Amino acid sequence: MTEQTATPASTIQTSAAKTCVCEINRGGSRRNFTLFDTPMGRRACEDVLGGKSYPALPLSGQIKTIVDIGANVGAATVYFAFQYPTARIWAFEPSPDSFALLTANTADLPQVQRFDFGLLDRDQQTLMYRGKDDAVENSIGRSRELSDDAFPIALRSAEAALTEAGIDTIDILKLDTEGCEVPILRSLSGRLARTGVIYVEFHAERDRLEIDRLLLPTHSLFRGQIMKPYRGELCYVARAVLPDTKMNISVY
């Protein structure tokens, strides 16, 4: 069980917002975690670090490779490092402010490799708009949740970046990129069958349908949470790594 207490003092000054420190207590081991001092940021980190967003799954086989695309300040990266201490983790985050906190929060974790660029289906320089409530909303798209404040970021082809990093089979892929999920999955289409678990957000109904189309040939939808008609969190698991793929069918 992960418990958190927050200290309101600012520790790392960024251009986006003040930061605060929460204390994570897991199995008697305590560590500090720095996040943006916003209600949304606190809630998001609490859900992730508490195991609500990415609960452990009954998988067969060892978890060796984890890819965190849209790592933000590192809550999922730290959670996965706790959950799977022998796995290597690659974390991608294009926002300089968020990357600074990601670096601070994972500096003592040698199994984590960080990249200060985002992923897409092509190499591109573009603008990222700040979320009105927290950096977790930052996006290269436009919506009512975003401000007019933008900053330049670098994006790379997901397939090319993972190949360059020497990543082949992925045991866990976490994908939360505020609207870029589908292009990234399309870029990685050749390796999706070799990806065990895929945690992915969607931000439009058409994206959810396309994610289904891309993943259902090899994966089963294991769990999901729909927050709004156009936004939710889904978890797909490759049928090859499910411990029991038998279906229970009732006929009425």
Side-chain angles (χ1 to χ4, degrees), residues 94-124:
S95 166
D97 290 330
S98 298
F99 186 79
L101 300 193
L102 167 67
T103 300
N105 288 325
T106 61
D108 64 332
L109 300 175
Q111 68 269 46
V112 175
Q113 189 168 351
R114 298 166 293 274
F115 301 85
D116 61 351
F117 54 85
L119 300 182
L120 200 63
D121 56 355
R122 60 193 179 277
D123 292 354
Q124 179 179 331

Short mmCIF file of all heavy atoms in Angstrom, two decimals, residues 94-124:
data_model
loop_
_atom_site.label_atom_id
_atom_site.label_comp_id
_atom_site.label_asym_id
_atom_site.label_seq_id
_atom_site.Cartn_x
_atom_site.Cartn_y
_atom_site.Cartn_z
N PRO A 94 8.07 15.50 -23.18
CA PRO A 94 8.58 16.64 -23.94
C PRO A 94 8.53 17.99 -23.24
O PRO A 94 9.24 18.90 -23.63
CB PRO A 94 7.66 16.65 -25.17
CG PRO A 94 6.37 16.12 -24.66
CD PRO A 94 6.73 15.08 -23.64
N SER A 95 7.69 18.14 -22.21
CA SER A 95 7.58 19.43 -21.52
C SER A 95 8.80 19.66 -20.64
O SER A 95 9.09 18.84 -19.75
CB SER A 95 6.32 19.47 -20.66
OG SER A 95 6.37 20.56 -19.76
N PRO A 96 9.56 20.75 -20.82
CA PRO A 96 10.75 20.98 -20.00
C PRO A 96 10.44 21.04 -18.50
O PRO A 96 11.22 20.51 -17.69
CB PRO A 96 11.28 22.33 -20.51
CG PRO A 96 10.75 22.43 -21.90
CD PRO A 96 9.40 21.78 -21.88
N ASP A 97 9.34 21.68 -18.11
CA ASP A 97 8.99 21.77 -16.69
C ASP A 97 8.69 20.39 -16.11
O ASP A 97 9.18 20.05 -15.03
CB ASP A 97 7.79 22.69 -16.50
CG ASP A 97 8.11 24.14 -16.77
OD1 ASP A 97 9.27 24.54 -16.56
OD2 ASP A 97 7.21 24.88 -17.20
N SER A 98 7.88 19.63 -16.80
CA SER A 98 7.56 18.28 -16.32
C SER A 98 8.79 17.38 -16.34
O SER A 98 8.99 16.57 -15.42
CB SER A 98 6.45 17.68 -17.18
OG SER A 98 5.27 18.44 -17.09
N PHE A 99 9.63 17.52 -17.37
CA PHE A 99 10.83 16.70 -17.45
C PHE A 99 11.77 16.99 -16.29
O PHE A 99 12.43 16.08 -15.78
CB PHE A 99 11.54 16.93 -18.78
CG PHE A 99 12.71 16.02 -19.00
CD1 PHE A 99 12.51 14.71 -19.42
CD2 PHE A 99 14.00 16.45 -18.77
CE1 PHE A 99 13.59 13.85 -19.61
CE2 PHE A 99 15.08 15.61 -18.96
CZ PHE A 99 14.88 14.30 -19.38
N ALA A 100 11.83 18.25 -15.85
CA ALA A 100 12.68 18.59 -14.71
C ALA A 100 12.24 17.84 -13.46
O ALA A 100 13.07 17.32 -12.69
CB ALA A 100 12.65 20.10 -14.47
N LEU A 101 10.92 17.73 -13.24
CA LEU A 101 10.42 17.00 -12.07
C LEU A 101 10.58 15.49 -12.26
O LEU A 101 10.89 14.78 -11.31
CB LEU A 101 8.96 17.36 -11.81
CG LEU A 101 8.65 18.83 -11.53
CD1 LEU A 101 7.23 18.97 -10.97
CD2 LEU A 101 9.65 19.43 -10.55
N LEU A 102 10.36 15.01 -13.49
CA LEU A 102 10.60 13.60 -13.79
C LEU A 102 12.03 13.22 -13.45
O LEU A 102 12.29 12.19 -12.82
CB LEU A 102 10.31 13.33 -15.26
CG LEU A 102 10.78 12.00 -15.85
CD1 LEU A 102 10.02 10.83 -15.23
CD2 LEU A 102 10.63 11.99 -17.37
N THR A 103 12.98 14.07 -13.84
CA THR A 103 14.39 13.81 -13.56
C THR A 103 14.66 13.79 -12.07
O THR A 103 15.35 12.89 -11.55
CB THR A 103 15.26 14.86 -14.26
OG1 THR A 103 15.03 14.81 -15.67
CG2 THR A 103 16.73 14.62 -13.98
N ALA A 104 14.11 14.78 -11.35
CA ALA A 104 14.32 14.85 -9.91
C ALA A 104 13.73 13.63 -9.20
O ALA A 104 14.32 13.08 -8.27
CB ALA A 104 13.72 16.13 -9.35
N ASN A 105 12.56 13.19 -9.66
CA ASN A 105 11.85 12.10 -8.98
C ASN A 105 12.44 10.73 -9.27
O ASN A 105 12.17 9.77 -8.53
CB ASN A 105 10.38 12.12 -9.37
CG ASN A 105 9.61 13.27 -8.75
OD1 ASN A 105 9.89 13.67 -7.63
ND2 ASN A 105 8.66 13.82 -9.49
N THR A 106 13.24 10.61 -10.33
CA THR A 106 13.78 9.29 -10.70
C THR A 106 15.30 9.27 -10.72
O THR A 106 15.89 8.28 -11.17
CB THR A 106 13.25 8.86 -12.08
OG1 THR A 106 13.67 9.81 -13.07
CG2 THR A 106 11.73 8.78 -12.08
N ALA A 107 15.95 10.32 -10.22
CA ALA A 107 17.41 10.43 -10.30
C ALA A 107 18.11 9.28 -9.59
O ALA A 107 19.22 8.89 -9.98
CB ALA A 107 17.86 11.77 -9.72
N ASP A 108 17.49 8.71 -8.57
CA ASP A 108 18.12 7.63 -7.81
C ASP A 108 17.68 6.25 -8.28
O ASP A 108 17.96 5.25 -7.61
CB ASP A 108 17.80 7.79 -6.32
CG ASP A 108 16.31 7.65 -6.02
OD1 ASP A 108 15.50 7.96 -6.93
OD2 ASP A 108 15.96 7.23 -4.89
N LEU A 109 17.00 6.19 -9.43
CA LEU A 109 16.54 4.90 -9.94
C LEU A 109 17.34 4.55 -11.19
O LEU A 109 17.03 5.00 -12.30
CB LEU A 109 15.04 4.99 -10.28
CG LEU A 109 14.11 5.33 -9.11
CD1 LEU A 109 12.68 5.50 -9.60
CD2 LEU A 109 14.19 4.26 -8.02
N PRO A 110 18.38 3.74 -11.06
CA PRO A 110 19.27 3.46 -12.20
C PRO A 110 18.60 2.69 -13.32
O PRO A 110 19.10 2.68 -14.45
CB PRO A 110 20.40 2.65 -11.57
CG PRO A 110 19.81 2.05 -10.34
CD PRO A 110 18.82 3.06 -9.83
N GLN A 111 17.47 2.05 -13.04
CA GLN A 111 16.78 1.29 -14.09
C GLN A 111 15.94 2.18 -15.01
O GLN A 111 15.40 1.70 -16.00
CB GLN A 111 15.88 0.22 -13.47
CG GLN A 111 14.66 0.73 -12.71
CD GLN A 111 14.93 0.96 -11.24
OE1 GLN A 111 15.93 1.55 -10.86
NE2 GLN A 111 14.03 0.47 -10.40
N VAL A 112 15.86 3.48 -14.69
CA VAL A 112 15.05 4.41 -15.47
C VAL A 112 15.93 5.21 -16.43
O VAL A 112 16.93 5.79 -16.03
CB VAL A 112 14.27 5.37 -14.56
CG1 VAL A 112 13.52 6.42 -15.39
CG2 VAL A 112 13.28 4.60 -13.68
N GLN A 113 15.54 5.24 -17.69
CA GLN A 113 16.20 6.07 -18.69
C GLN A 113 15.18 7.10 -19.18
O GLN A 113 14.08 6.75 -19.58
CB GLN A 113 16.71 5.23 -19.86
CG GLN A 113 17.59 6.01 -20.82
CD GLN A 113 18.32 5.11 -21.81
OE1 GLN A 113 18.29 3.89 -21.68
NE2 GLN A 113 18.96 5.71 -22.79
N ARG A 114 15.57 8.37 -19.16
CA ARG A 114 14.65 9.46 -19.46
C ARG A 114 14.99 10.12 -20.80
O ARG A 114 16.17 10.25 -21.15
CB ARG A 114 14.72 10.52 -18.34
CG ARG A 114 14.30 10.00 -16.97
CD ARG A 114 14.71 10.97 -15.87
NE ARG A 114 16.15 11.07 -15.73
CZ ARG A 114 16.89 10.25 -14.99
NH1 ARG A 114 16.32 9.28 -14.30
NH2 ARG A 114 18.20 10.39 -14.92
N PHE A 115 13.95 10.58 -21.49
CA PHE A 115 14.12 11.24 -22.78
C PHE A 115 13.29 12.52 -22.78
O PHE A 115 12.08 12.48 -22.47
CB PHE A 115 13.67 10.33 -23.93
CG PHE A 115 14.42 9.04 -24.00
CD1 PHE A 115 14.03 7.95 -23.24
CD2 PHE A 115 15.53 8.91 -24.83
CE1 PHE A 115 14.72 6.75 -23.30
CE2 PHE A 115 16.23 7.72 -24.90
CZ PHE A 115 15.83 6.64 -24.14
N ASP A 116 13.92 13.64 -23.14
CA ASP A 116 13.25 14.94 -23.06
C ASP A 116 12.57 15.31 -24.37
O ASP A 116 12.61 16.47 -24.81
CB ASP A 116 14.22 16.03 -22.62
CG ASP A 116 15.38 16.22 -23.60
OD1 ASP A 116 15.51 15.38 -24.52
OD2 ASP A 116 16.14 17.18 -23.42
N PHE A 117 11.94 14.36 -25.01
CA PHE A 117 11.14 14.63 -26.20
C PHE A 117 9.92 13.72 -26.17
O PHE A 117 9.88 12.72 -25.45
CB PHE A 117 11.95 14.42 -27.49
CG PHE A 117 12.60 13.07 -27.62
CD1 PHE A 117 11.90 11.98 -28.13
CD2 PHE A 117 13.93 12.88 -27.24
CE1 PHE A 117 12.50 10.74 -28.26
CE2 PHE A 117 14.54 11.64 -27.37
CZ PHE A 117 13.82 10.56 -27.87
N GLY A 118 8.92 14.10 -26.96
CA GLY A 118 7.72 13.29 -27.05
C GLY A 118 7.77 12.38 -28.26
O GLY A 118 8.69 12.45 -29.08
N LEU A 119 6.76 11.53 -28.38
CA LEU A 119 6.69 10.60 -29.50
C LEU A 119 5.42 10.85 -30.31
O LEU A 119 4.41 11.31 -29.79
CB LEU A 119 6.72 9.16 -29.01
CG LEU A 119 7.96 8.74 -28.21
CD1 LEU A 119 7.88 7.27 -27.83
CD2 LEU A 119 9.24 9.03 -28.98
N LEU A 120 5.49 10.55 -31.60
CA LEU A 120 4.37 10.68 -32.52
C LEU A 120 4.60 9.66 -33.63
O LEU A 120 5.33 8.68 -33.43
CB LEU A 120 4.30 12.12 -33.06
CG LEU A 120 2.96 12.58 -33.64
CD1 LEU A 120 1.86 12.59 -32.60
CD2 LEU A 120 3.10 13.96 -34.28
N ASP A 121 4.02 9.86 -34.80
CA ASP A 121 4.28 8.96 -35.93
C ASP A 121 5.29 9.55 -36.90
O ASP A 121 5.49 9.01 -37.99
CB ASP A 121 2.97 8.63 -36.64
CG ASP A 121 2.22 9.86 -37.12
OD1 ASP A 121 2.67 10.99 -36.81
OD2 ASP A 121 1.19 9.70 -37.80
N ARG A 122 5.94 10.65 -36.53
CA ARG A 122 6.93 11.31 -37.38
C ARG A 122 7.74 12.26 -36.52
O ARG A 122 7.32 12.64 -35.43
CB ARG A 122 6.25 12.10 -38.51
CG ARG A 122 5.32 13.19 -38.00
CD ARG A 122 4.43 13.75 -39.11
NE ARG A 122 3.51 14.78 -38.62
CZ ARG A 122 2.36 14.52 -38.04
NH1 ARG A 122 1.97 13.26 -37.83
NH2 ARG A 122 1.57 15.50 -37.63
N ASP A 123 8.90 12.66 -37.03
CA ASP A 123 9.70 13.69 -36.36
C ASP A 123 9.08 15.05 -36.63
O ASP A 123 8.70 15.35 -37.77
CB ASP A 123 11.14 13.67 -36.88
CG ASP A 123 11.89 12.41 -36.47
OD1 ASP A 123 11.33 11.61 -35.69
OD2 ASP A 123 13.02 12.23 -36.93
N GLN A 124 8.99 15.88 -35.59
CA GLN A 124 8.31 17.16 -35.76
C GLN A 124 8.68 18.11 -34.63
O GLN A 124 8.82 17.71 -33.47
CB GLN A 124 6.79 16.94 -35.77
CG GLN A 124 5.95 18.18 -35.90
CD GLN A 124 4.46 17.86 -35.92
OE1 GLN A 124 4.04 16.79 -36.34
NE2 GLN A 124 3.66 18.79 -35.43
#
